[in-house]
């Protein structure tokens, strides 16, 4: 494959990138350069170009007018000239789109071969890629890195930070609409951030978390020069360190961290605050946003009289970053990311690999990182008191600090570049040349729950993967309470191939696989269950019930409301009565003693399975389902060939309405395989071709 990366923000170069000097030199450049380096090791990607915009002068010198810069034998940076030769901030790049498209068409037509795929980074690159697709037919993948609607929600519409955002949002929607696939870094990005766009289509979004070269952070030693540069600010350098490392842009919300620290005397007694906020000579010479935020930080230090307790070093080199983390770890400190939204959170991975517990925003990628590693606490970034409580909790509990510190080591396995590139190359290949649809119709359809059914025991999952590959006459799908992207992520972690059909969010959404990890939403099903569904009224009614606690925004869907309960046996019945008294219709499902899901009346795993069966033109006796808990009841009850795995809960095997089910002796995926073997042995008239 020949992949052409588009990144119009021109402040990138192959080596010695000066991160943090401008808004164009942030994590997206680090991601792009690391991705390109990693794809260079993949046998299926033999050629790569990074195409960006050339400019003269600007804040970073004259090197960005150079037309070509080689990275290695198969990879290079190409800088194309557009209408203006001046450095332009990303907010002004839209003015160069038309001239850049013409320059890129000329560049592509002058190559010895056309790129197979374009990967567009950020909004304006997405607009260029859409134009190239229209003119030359080259497909493209889009990575937004950050989205205008998120920034608009964080800052509102009437402030300097959001000037011009409506144009950017429109450009982003255009890029989303025409992309062949979209790569997101986290569930929050895939399911919450993109959802505000008219062209949102979750089936085309694939979560592939960026990798990270974390080997340099684990066990890194401190550096005396780095230590001295920090300690000179502090009256008592022996204290633990609260460390933040981020560019001083508004969305990084560093002021909230100073507020949290300044308002909590106990924190000031327990630890010093160290903020590494890019590189500056005179802060007044920085870009206006950066200069304004630095001025605010200095004013807050003065307001709370934090002299001797806060360090804000003027400069640091990229190679010193591991030693900065090691400085905080040696003092049994913590790492804090209070961003209003963090699309991914590379610094969180680095800090975790260094052995630092985390306190991080609950908006964005940190949800996935902390859920996967269990190495810190998520907080509302708009609540300085909550940030302060979380920091103090970790700093005052040695056992908790030790547990979180050890747990961070798992990030190296969850976020490695080789794993990222494997999934990236699979998606790219599928976009370039989608596989032809299978002609033969399957004889059987197996639909399984995921958690504690298909997955839950490593040996069983591995055996299922091998077994399933030999079931040539059987299509496989899943039915889960998880969202589409949560389900795909956990299946990928367990090396389960993308299923042909995904029934998600307890039957309220259905997706059919098109190719690779790209799915098509079943809009017919959505229209069916939408009848009589009044989500807003139900949410308002249940908000008055103190025994119900809403699950995170990630678990709320357009046709699903999810709550935690106190485990009361009759809670589902009481909610049903409450809804009925208000004249509202819905399906109420309580499972595992603590999860309550409210769905449209027509939605359930059972009705969704039957819809999939009818769409596939299969008979009822050709369908086998497997589950373990209360939210599988409708599916198990509706299907004649039902498997209850041996590790079941919620009393499934004792229910009279599930007496027809096969109760496996073994648990998890072993139980599924056992149950399928049982039904395959049935007389031909009950399970036939």
């Amino acid at each position: 494959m020949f992949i052409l990366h588009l990144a119009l923000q021109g402040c990138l170069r192959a080596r010695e990138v000066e991160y943090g000097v401008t808004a164009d030199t942030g994590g997206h450049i680090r991601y792009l350069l690391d991705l390109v380096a990693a794809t260079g090791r993949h046998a299926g990607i033999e050629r790569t170009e990074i195409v960006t915009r050339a400019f003269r002068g600007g804040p970073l010198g004259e090197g960005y007018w150079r037309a070509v810069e080689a990275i290695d034998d198969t990879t290079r940076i190409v800088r194309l000239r557009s209408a203006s030769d001046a450095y332009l901030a990303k907010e002004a790049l839209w003015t160069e789109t038309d001239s850049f498209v013409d320059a890129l068409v000329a560049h592509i037509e002058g190559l010895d071969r056309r790129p197979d795929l374009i990967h567009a980074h950020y909004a304006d690159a997405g607009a260029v890629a859409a134009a190239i697709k229209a003119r030359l037919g080259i497909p493209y993948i889009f990575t937004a890195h950050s989205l205008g609607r998120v920034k608009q929600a964080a800052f509102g519409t009437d402030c300097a930070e959001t000037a011009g955002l409506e144009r950017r949002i429109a450009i982003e929607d255009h890029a989303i609409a025409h992309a062949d696939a979209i790569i997101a870094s986290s569930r929050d990005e895939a399911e919450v951030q993109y959802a505000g766009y008219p062209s949102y289509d979750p089936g085309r979004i694939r979560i592939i978390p960026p990798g990270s070269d974390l080997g340099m952070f684990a066990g890194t030693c401190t550096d005396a020069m780095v230590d001295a540069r920090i300690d000179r600010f502090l009256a008592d350098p022996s204290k633990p360190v609260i460390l933040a490392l981020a560019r001083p842009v508004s969305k990084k919300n560093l002021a909230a961290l100073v507020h949290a620290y300044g308002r909590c005397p106990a924190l000031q007694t327990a630890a010093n605050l160290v903020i590494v906020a890019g590189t500056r000579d005179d802060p007044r010479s920085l870009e206006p946003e950066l200069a304004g935020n630095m001025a605010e930080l200095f004013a807050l230090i003065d307001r709370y009289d934090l002299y001797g307790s806060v360090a804000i070093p003027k400069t640091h080199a990229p190679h010193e970053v591991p030693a900065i983390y090691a400085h905080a770890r040696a003092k049994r400190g913590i790492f804090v990311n209070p961003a209003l939204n963090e699309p991914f959170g590379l610094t969180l991975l680095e800090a975790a690999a260094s052995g630092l517990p985390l306190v991080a925003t609950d908006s964005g990628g940190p949800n996935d990182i902390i859920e996967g590693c269990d190495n810190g606490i998520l907080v509302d970034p708009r609540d300085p008191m909550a940030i302060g409580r979380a920091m103090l909790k970790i700093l005052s509990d040695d056992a908790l600090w030790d547990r979180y510190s050890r747990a961070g080591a798992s990030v190296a396995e969850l976020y490695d570049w080789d794993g990222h590139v494997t999934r990236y190359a699979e998606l790219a290949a599928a976009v370039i040349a989608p596989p032809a649809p299978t002609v033969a119709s399957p004889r059987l359809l197996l639909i399984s729950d995921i958690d504690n059914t298909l997955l839950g025991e490593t040996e069983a999952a591995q055996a299922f993967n091998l077994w399933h590959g030999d079931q040539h006459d059987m299509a496989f799908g899943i039915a889960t309470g998880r969202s589409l992207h949560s389900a795909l992520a956990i299946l990928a972690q367990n090396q389960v191939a993308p299923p042909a059909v995904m029934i998600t969010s307890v039957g309220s959404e259905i997706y059919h696989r098109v190719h690779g990890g790209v799915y098509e939403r079943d809009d017919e099903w959505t229209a069916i269950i939408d009848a009589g569904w009044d989500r807003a009224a139900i949410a308002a009614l249940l908000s008055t019930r103190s025994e119900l606690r809403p699950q995170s925004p990630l678990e709320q869907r357009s046709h699903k409301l999810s709550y935690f309960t106190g485990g009361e046996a009759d809670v589902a019945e009481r909610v049903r009565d409450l809804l009925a008294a208000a004249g509202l219709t819905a399906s109420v499902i309580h499972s595992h003693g603590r999860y309550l899901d409210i769905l449209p009346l027509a939605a359930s795993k059972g009705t969704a399975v039957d819809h999939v069966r009818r769409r596939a033109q299969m008979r009822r006796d050709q369908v086998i389902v497997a589950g373990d808990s209360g939210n599988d009841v409708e599916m198990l009850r509706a299907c004649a060939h039902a498997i209850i795995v041996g590790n079941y809960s919620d009393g499934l095997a004792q229910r009279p309405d599930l007496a027809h089910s096969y109760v496996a002796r073994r648990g998890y995926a072993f139980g599924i395989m056992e149950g399928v073997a049982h039904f395959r042995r049935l007389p031909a008239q009950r399970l036939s071709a």
Side-chain angles (χ1 to χ4, degrees):
M1 287 183 282
F2 174 12
I3 298 178
L4 186 152
H5 292 271
L6 269 181
L8 270 64
Q9 297 180 46
C11 294
L12 65 86
R13 59 192 185 195
R15 296 163 189 86
E16 298 180 350
V17 177
E18 297 179 82
Y19 293 104
V21 176
T22 75
D24 284 354
T25 50
H28 70 285
I29 288 181
R30 170 77 178 274
Y31 164 80
L32 176 55
L33 293 174
D34 285 353
L35 171 62
V36 166
T39 55
R41 301 191 295 269
H42 192 280
I45 302 174
E46 69 268 18
R47 182 169 169 182
T48 302
E49 281 192 354
I50 300 174
V51 176
T52 187
R53 177 180 168 272
F55 61 86
R56 299 180 192 268
L60 296 177
E62 296 296 326
Y64 300 97
W65 190 245
R66 182 180 172 190
V68 177
E69 181 181 358
I71 295 178
D72 57 37
D73 292 342
T74 60
T75 307
R76 64 180 186 168
I77 296 174
V78 176
R79 299 185 180 93
L80 301 180
R81 299 178 184 182
S82 58
S84 170
D85 65 355
Y87 166 78
L88 295 174
K90 60 179 179 294
E91 292 80 8
L93 285 173
W94 64 274
T95 60
E96 301 298 293
T97 298
D98 291 343
S99 59
F100 193 89
V101 167
D102 292 339
L104 181 54
V105 168
H107 171 70
I108 291 173
E109 290 182 339
L111 293 171
D112 59 318
R113 61 174 285 196
R114 283 190 174 187
D116 299 299
L117 178 72
I118 292 173
H119 185 169
H121 302 264
Y122 266 102
D124 294 291
V128 171
I132 297 297
K133 180 179 178 180
R135 288 173 63 168
L136 301 180
I138 301 173
Y140 74 94
I141 292 172
F142 179 54
T143 298
H145 293 283
S146 69
L147 288 163
R149 282 202 179 277
V150 176
K151 189 170 185 178
Q152 189 177 68
F155 293 103
T157 57
D158 189 21
C159 63
E161 285 83 357
T162 56
L165 268 186
E166 289 299 334
R167 180 190 298 110
R168 172 180 165 182
I169 289 168
I171 292 171
E172 287 169 345
D173 191 61
H174 181 73
I176 292 165
H178 294 89
D180 295 271
I182 296 167
I183 293 178
S185 297
S186 67
R187 281 187 62 204
D188 183 86
E189 185 181 357
E191 298 176 3
V192 177
Q193 296 177 38
Y194 275 106
Y197 288 80
S199 298
Y200 175 60
D201 178 2
R204 284 187 295 121
I205 300 176
R206 179 83 176 271
I207 298 177
I208 310 180
S212 186
D213 184 5
L214 299 174
M216 70 180 73
F217 298 99
T220 301
C221 296
T222 56
D223 181 286
M225 291 182 63
V226 169
D227 294 345
R229 198 179 304 142
I230 294 171
D231 289 349
R232 70 188 182 89
F233 290 89
L234 305 171
D236 183 0
S238 66
K239 289 182 181 179
V241 164
I242 298 167
L243 174 65
L245 194 156
R247 292 181 299 119
V249 293
S250 299
K251 67 181 181 181
K252 295 300 183 181
N253 200 31
L254 292 172
L257 177 57
V258 182
H259 279 298
Y261 184 74
R263 294 175 185 177
C264 184
L267 263 181
Q268 297 167 41
T269 300
N272 292 315
L273 175 61
V274 177
I275 299 176
V276 180
T279 296
R280 65 187 186 278
D281 182 11
D282 183 340
R284 295 170 297 180
S285 67
L286 296 172
E287 293 180 356
E289 182 185 6
L290 308 185
N293 285 310
M294 290 303 301
E296 182 181 13
L297 294 180
F298 295 141
L300 289 173
I301 291 170
D302 188 75
R303 171 181 166 183
Y304 291 114
D305 194 16
L306 299 176
Y307 297 104
S309 296
V310 178
I312 308 184
K314 288 175 67 70
T315 184
H316 72 282
H319 72 268
E320 293 176 322
V321 171
I324 294 172
Y325 293 125
H327 173 90
R329 183 196 63 231
K331 296 179 183 295
R332 292 183 65 84
I334 59 176
F335 184 81
V336 184
N337 180 332
L340 293 172
N341 177 268
E342 183 59 67
F344 179 55
L346 178 60
T347 56
L348 290 168
L349 297 186
E350 295 171 349
S354 299
L356 286 171
L358 308 179
V359 173
T361 176
D362 64 0
S363 177
N367 284 276
D368 293 3
I369 294 170
I370 289 180
E371 179 185 357
C373 300
D374 189 24
N375 64 332
I377 299 173
L378 295 168
V379 293
D380 180 350
R382 294 170 180 80
D383 186 348
M385 300 305 291
I387 297 171
R389 287 192 298 270
M391 294 189 294
L392 193 59
K393 179 178 180 179
I394 299 174
L395 289 168
S396 59
D397 187 335
D398 286 344
L400 184 63
W401 190 97
D402 289 338
R403 179 163 70 84
Y404 284 163
S405 177
R406 290 192 300 269
S410 62
V411 298
E413 297 177 8
L414 294 176
Y415 296 95
D416 73 294
W417 272 117
D418 288 341
H420 175 96
V421 169
T422 296
R423 296 167 66 186
Y424 177 88
E426 289 172 355
L427 177 62
V431 167
I432 292 166
T438 303
V439 177
S441 297
R443 186 172 76 94
L444 299 174
L445 172 63
L446 170 65
I447 303 286
S448 172
D449 175 46
I450 295 180
D451 295 287
N452 297 309
T453 303
L454 176 63
L455 303 180
E457 185 177 273
T458 301
E459 183 182 354
Q462 293 172 345
F464 179 88
N465 293 338
L466 295 173
W467 172 85
H468 174 237
D470 292 333
Q471 309 302 303
H472 303 296
D473 64 341
M474 185 174 70
F476 173 58
I478 63 98
T480 177
R482 290 177 178 264
S483 66
L484 171 68
H485 299 101
S486 174
L488 286 173
I490 194 69
L491 292 174
Q493 287 176 21
N494 287 272
Q495 289 79 51
V496 177
V501 62
M502 304 278 286
I503 297 170
T504 64
S505 299
V506 203
S508 62
E509 299 174 21
I510 301 176
Y511 299 88
H512 304 276
R513 183 160 58 88
V514 179
H515 60 74
V518 175
Y519 284 77
E520 181 179 82
R521 182 171 46 195
D522 194 323
D523 292 330
E524 180 186 1
W525 177 245
T526 302
I528 290 170
I529 66 172
D530 195 54
W533 171 244
D534 192 341
R535 186 186 189 281
I538 294 171
L541 179 64
L542 297 185
S543 68
T544 65
R545 309 301 298 184
S546 60
E547 70 271 29
L548 301 179
R549 183 164 58 90
Q551 294 180 33
S552 77
L554 282 172
E555 306 308 324
Q556 314 302 332
R557 309 293 294 165
S558 62
H559 291 79
K560 179 173 78 78
L561 289 161
S562 295
Y563 300 86
F564 293 113
T565 75
E568 303 89 346
D570 64 341
V571 64
E573 193 61 38
R574 286 191 281 113
V575 170
R576 291 188 191 100
D577 291 344
L578 181 67
L579 294 173
L584 297 168
T585 58
S587 175
V588 181
I589 300 172
H590 194 217
S591 60
H592 295 290
R594 64 187 301 256
Y595 303 116
L596 188 78
D597 295 309
I598 314 295
L599 312 170
L601 193 61
S604 72
K605 288 185 179 181
T607 54
V609 168
D610 198 54
H611 176 82
V612 170
R613 176 192 66 77
R614 286 184 279 105
R615 176 184 163 116
Q617 299 181 332
M618 300 180 79
R619 302 188 310 274
R620 294 182 185 277
D621 64 356
Q622 291 178 281
V623 179
I624 303 173
V625 298
D628 75 292
S629 71
N631 68 15
D632 300 315
V633 167
E634 293 295 329
M635 176 176 71
L636 296 168
R637 184 164 50 202
C639 295
H641 300 129
I643 302 166
I644 298 174
V645 292
N647 58 292
Y648 65 86
S649 61
D650 299 328
L652 295 193
Q654 288 73 47
R655 292 181 60 119
D657 55 347
L658 300 183
H660 64 284
S661 302
Y662 176 80
V663 181
R665 293 182 298 276
R666 302 191 70 178
Y668 304 102
F670 283 129
I672 298 173
M673 293 182 282
E674 178 187 327
V676 170
H678 165 79
F679 287 120
R680 281 190 182 278
R681 289 194 294 267
L682 290 178
Q685 65 270 23
R686 290 192 59 193
L687 195 65
S688 58

